[in-house]
PDB file of all heavy atoms in Angstrom:
ATOM      1  N   PRO B  47      14.531   6.045 -20.351  1.00 94.00           N
ATOM      2  CA  PRO B  47      14.244   4.849 -21.160  1.00 94.00           C
ATOM      3  C   PRO B  47      15.091   3.648 -20.754  1.00 94.00           C
ATOM      4  O   PRO B  47      14.660   2.505 -20.923  1.00 94.00           O
ATOM      5  CB  PRO B  47      14.574   5.275 -22.589  1.00 94.00           C
ATOM      6  CG  PRO B  47      14.711   6.749 -22.569  1.00 94.00           C
ATOM      7  CD  PRO B  47      14.926   7.194 -21.162  1.00 94.00           C
ATOM      8  N   ALA B  48      16.268   3.887 -20.208  1.00 93.00           N
ATOM      9  CA  ALA B  48      17.121   2.767 -19.816  1.00 93.00           C
ATOM     10  C   ALA B  48      16.597   2.098 -18.557  1.00 93.00           C
ATOM     11  O   ALA B  48      16.878   0.938 -18.304  1.00 93.00           O
ATOM     12  CB  ALA B  48      18.553   3.247 -19.585  1.00 93.00           C
ATOM     13  N   LEU B  49      15.849   2.835 -17.740  1.00 89.00           N
ATOM     14  CA  LEU B  49      15.490   2.333 -16.421  1.00 89.00           C
ATOM     15  C   LEU B  49      14.033   1.912 -16.280  1.00 89.00           C
ATOM     16  O   LEU B  49      13.671   1.259 -15.313  1.00 89.00           O
ATOM     17  CB  LEU B  49      15.797   3.399 -15.348  1.00 89.00           C
ATOM     18  CG  LEU B  49      17.247   3.888 -15.270  1.00 89.00           C
ATOM     19  CD1 LEU B  49      17.394   4.920 -14.168  1.00 89.00           C
ATOM     20  CD2 LEU B  49      18.192   2.732 -15.029  1.00 89.00           C
ATOM     21  N   GLY B  50      13.176   2.322 -17.203  1.00 88.00           N
ATOM     22  CA  GLY B  50      11.751   2.020 -17.070  1.00 88.00           C
ATOM     23  C   GLY B  50      11.497   0.522 -17.004  1.00 88.00           C
ATOM     24  O   GLY B  50      12.220  -0.274 -17.595  1.00 88.00           O
ATOM     25  N   THR B  51      10.471   0.137 -16.230  1.00 87.00           N
ATOM     26  CA  THR B  51      10.166  -1.282 -16.121  1.00 87.00           C
ATOM     27  C   THR B  51       8.686  -1.595 -16.264  1.00 87.00           C
ATOM     28  O   THR B  51       8.317  -2.667 -16.687  1.00 87.00           O
ATOM     29  CB  THR B  51      10.598  -1.853 -14.761  1.00 87.00           C
ATOM     30  OG1 THR B  51      10.051  -1.040 -13.731  1.00 87.00           O
ATOM     31  CG2 THR B  51      12.085  -1.918 -14.634  1.00 87.00           C
ATOM     32  N   TRP B  52       7.805  -0.712 -15.853  1.00 84.00           N
ATOM     33  CA  TRP B  52       6.404  -1.127 -15.882  1.00 84.00           C
ATOM     34  C   TRP B  52       5.549  -0.258 -16.779  1.00 84.00           C
ATOM     35  O   TRP B  52       5.935   0.814 -17.226  1.00 84.00           O
ATOM     36  CB  TRP B  52       5.826  -1.327 -14.496  1.00 84.00           C
ATOM     37  CG  TRP B  52       5.862  -0.172 -13.572  1.00 84.00           C
ATOM     38  CD1 TRP B  52       6.951   0.526 -13.185  1.00 84.00           C
ATOM     39  CD2 TRP B  52       4.735   0.428 -12.911  1.00 84.00           C
ATOM     40  NE1 TRP B  52       6.592   1.518 -12.328  1.00 84.00           N
ATOM     41  CE2 TRP B  52       5.249   1.481 -12.137  1.00 84.00           C
ATOM     42  CE3 TRP B  52       3.365   0.171 -12.901  1.00 84.00           C
ATOM     43  CZ2 TRP B  52       4.414   2.287 -11.364  1.00 84.00           C
ATOM     44  CZ3 TRP B  52       2.554   0.970 -12.122  1.00 84.00           C
ATOM     45  CH2 TRP B  52       3.079   2.007 -11.363  1.00 84.00           C
ATOM     46  N   MET B  53       4.377  -0.784 -17.015  1.00 88.00           N
ATOM     47  CA  MET B  53       3.434  -0.251 -17.995  1.00 88.00           C
ATOM     48  C   MET B  53       3.365   1.270 -18.090  1.00 88.00           C
ATOM     49  O   MET B  53       3.536   1.846 -19.157  1.00 88.00           O
ATOM     50  CB  MET B  53       2.053  -0.807 -17.649  1.00 88.00           C
ATOM     51  CG  MET B  53       1.131  -0.852 -18.798  1.00 88.00           C
ATOM     52  SD  MET B  53       1.504  -2.245 -19.826  1.00 88.00           S
ATOM     53  CE  MET B  53       0.972  -3.579 -18.778  1.00 88.00           C
ATOM     54  N   ASN B  54       3.107   1.928 -16.950  1.00 90.00           N
ATOM     55  CA  ASN B  54       2.930   3.377 -16.982  1.00 90.00           C
ATOM     56  C   ASN B  54       4.181   4.068 -17.500  1.00 90.00           C
ATOM     57  O   ASN B  54       4.113   5.047 -18.235  1.00 90.00           O
ATOM     58  CB  ASN B  54       2.626   3.902 -15.577  1.00 90.00           C
ATOM     59  CG  ASN B  54       1.357   3.319 -15.011  1.00 90.00           C
ATOM     60  OD1 ASN B  54       0.599   2.698 -15.738  1.00 90.00           O
ATOM     61  ND2 ASN B  54       1.141   3.498 -13.730  1.00 90.00           N
TER      62      ASN B  54
END
Side-chain angles (χ1 to χ4, degrees):
Chain B
L49 302 180
T51 52
W52 58 303
M53 204 78 70
N54 299 348

